Amino acid sequence: MSSWKKASKTNQRTHRERHQPASRSHLGLLEKKKDYRQRVADYHQKQKTIKLLKKRALNRNPDEFYFHMINSRVEDGEHLELEKEDEHTPDQIRLMQSQDLRYVTTKRTTELRKINRLQSQLHLLDAANKVRNKHIFFVDTEKEARKLDVAKKLDTHPALLNRRVNRPRMSALKSMTLPDVDEAELEKLTSEREKAYMELQKRIEREKELSVIQQKLELKRHLLNKKESAPKRIKAGTKDAPPVYQWKYERKR
């Protein structure tokens, strides 16, 4: 390619799509070519899907049968799977679930003890200092409010104002003798403290999961009781919460 053609290409004007005129701004954004192509692709995809569904409906066998027709049902617009018959008797299932429940309860109790031990060691001082709190001082005039020295009012050093706990007064600071701090030792202590907080957070999350599992197992054990009337399900269970059932109130003699 000659240098003249290269120069003519570099000097070409870049054509840009115009924006929406001010008089038509109430109509929203002006559709660009990329928006049009996206809309057209979406339209054709929907038309293709509709055509395929019509074809399947025409070719459907009215005598067709598959087991999922009788193994599922629709309840309040929600698709539910029917419980399959188990090879175990209800007493055997109740016994196995009670053993699982004991195991989960034991593990949850262990996690709670470890959480309490970590919390007593850490005292959550850093979390307490990060929580924003309001400390209101009352003055008589706006001039006094502008000249108010919070550090002097609290009788402490200005560097300690952000702390909510362990904030000594100036008199205590003068009498304190600070030990020599090694940088490597300080970094080691900070790292150990962060690891302890991470462990505490993981144990709290695990305790929550065990709590949900425990509630689900207890609910299953109650559902196996055939002496009571079948309850009505109010809310389906999720990964974070067990299902909610409502039993019919029966007056005890």
Side-chain angles (χ1 to χ4, degrees), residues 93-113:
I93 295 175
R94 193 180 299 110
L95 177 61
M96 288 186 291
Q97 289 183 353
S98 63
Q99 292 177 352
D100 294 339
L101 182 59
R102 290 195 195 99
Y103 173 77
V104 172
T105 306
T106 304
K107 298 298 289 184
R108 186 189 174 197
T109 305
T110 305
E111 290 295 331
L112 283 173
R113 290 175 180 172

Side-chain angles (χ1 to χ4, degrees), residues 100-249:
D100 294 339
L101 182 59
R102 290 195 195 99
Y103 173 77
V104 172
T105 306
T106 304
K107 298 298 289 184
R108 186 189 174 197
T109 305
T110 305
E111 290 295 331
L112 283 173
R113 290 175 180 172
K114 292 180 179 179
I115 288 171
N116 293 332
R117 178 175 56 82
L118 284 172
Q119 287 179 342
S120 62
Q121 291 176 356
L122 297 172
H123 297 291
L124 298 177
L125 294 179
D126 291 343
N129 287 326
K130 289 179 182 177
V131 175
R132 294 185 177 181
N133 200 3
K134 291 182 179 181
H135 196 147
I136 302 175
F137 295 98
F138 294 94
V139 293
D140 295 331
T141 61
E142 294 184 1
K143 185 177 180 181
E144 292 182 11
R146 289 193 297 268
K147 293 184 177 181
L148 179 65
D149 189 355
V150 180
K152 186 176 180 181
K153 185 77 173 177
L154 296 174
D155 191 20
T156 186
H157 194 274
L160 302 176
L161 289 177
N162 292 329
R163 305 185 67 173
R164 291 185 58 206
V165 294
N166 195 14
R167 186 170 56 195
R169 297 180 179 272
M170 292 297 295
S171 57
L173 288 173
K174 291 178 181 178
S175 60
M176 290 173 61
T177 56
L178 299 178
D180 296 333
V181 181
D182 186 13
E183 293 291 338
E185 188 68 21
L186 186 61
E187 291 181 0
K188 181 181 178 182
L189 292 175
T190 305
S191 177
E192 290 178 356
R193 185 180 59 182
E194 291 178 355
K195 288 180 181 178
Y197 273 112
M198 289 178 63
E199 181 184 357
L200 177 61
Q201 182 180 0
K202 289 181 180 179
R203 291 195 180 278
I204 290 175
E205 293 176 355
R206 178 170 172 78
E207 191 274 331
K208 289 181 179 179
E209 292 179 357
L210 290 173
S211 175
V212 175
I213 295 173
Q214 181 182 0
Q215 293 175 16
K216 289 181 178 180
L217 289 175
E218 290 177 350
L219 188 59
K220 283 185 178 180
R221 187 181 64 177
H222 287 298
L223 291 174
L224 286 175
N225 189 1
K226 302 300 182 182
K227 296 180 181 179
E228 299 179 355
S229 58
K232 179 183 179 182
R233 193 176 69 168
I234 305 299
K235 186 178 179 182
T238 61
K239 61 179 182 179
D240 298 325
V244 179
Y245 284 87
Q246 182 181 8
W247 273 265
K248 183 180 179 181
Y249 176 75

Side-chain angles (χ1 to χ4, degrees), residues 83-94 96:
E83 296 183 359
K84 297 181 180 179
E85 294 184 1
D86 203 342
E87 58 184 359
H88 305 290
T89 63
D91 294 334
Q92 293 174 345
I93 295 175
R94 193 180 299 110
M96 288 186 291

